[in-house]
Each structure stands twice: as C-alpha cells, then as structure tokens.
Amino acid sequence: MSHILGIKFRDHGQVYYFESGPFVVALGDDVLVQTEQGLGMGHVVAVRDDLPEDAHEGELKPIFRLPTDEDRDTQRENDQLGREAHLLEPLPEVDA
C-alpha cells in the first residue's frame, strides 16, 4: 500500500508531499525524488495514509528510489562544497 510522505530537502525548509509508490519507507529515511531542479535527496519527516489538506490527489508524484551508499557519499560531498563556497563568498561592499 502506498503512503504519503512528507519530505524536507533542508533542515528548516518546507515540507513537500510525495507518494511512496512500491517502496517501504519509514520516518527518518532518506529518499530520492524528481524535482523541477532535477534529482534531489530529501529526508522523510512524515508518513501519512491520507492526503494533507493543502494537497490534491493528482499533484503527488512517486519517489524516484531509495538512495544508495554512493548517493549518500555524493550528497555529503556536495554539502561540504556548498559550505566551503559559502565561506569563500565575498561580503557585499558598503558605500560610505
């Protein structure tokens, strides 16, 4: 039976809803989903049997698949590169 999954892509981000499809997914698992920006890894923060009030049946897409160890390694590398890039970002100039 397919469940409705609440997925976050960032710790303090919005919750997006997807169907679990044929996959067995639990609260706290990571999943790969197809987004407008491409394939993304998200964290399951809710598992529901019913639709949330703000979602419509036809809008929910199934998750793409469960991540492999290689996917998790790639995600960690990308997160580290993002943190390093943020540290190297120059501060905006202030006109005096």
Side-chain angles (χ1 to χ4, degrees), residues 14-89:
Q14 180 178 347
V15 176
Y16 297 89
Y17 291 96
F18 291 83
E19 290 182 6
S20 63
F23 300 99
V24 177
V25 181
L27 190 65
D29 286 351
D30 291 325
V31 294
L32 291 175
V33 297
Q34 189 67 45
T35 70
E36 291 179 5
Q37 289 80 31
L39 202 57
M41 188 180 302
H43 191 71
V44 178
V45 296
V47 178
R48 305 173 56 121
D49 290 325
D50 59 339
L51 282 171
E53 292 180 16
D54 58 342
H56 302 287
E57 184 91 29
E59 293 178 350
L60 298 179
K61 296 179 182 178
I63 64 172
F64 186 71
R65 64 178 166 86
L66 300 177
T68 63
D69 289 339
E70 184 177 343
D71 294 325
R72 287 187 179 90
D73 290 343
T74 300
Q75 182 69 31
R76 276 191 290 275
E77 290 172 12
N78 288 341
D79 290 345
Q80 180 63 30
L81 288 172
R83 283 190 292 276
E84 290 171 4
H86 183 72
L87 292 174
L88 296 175
E89 184 176 302

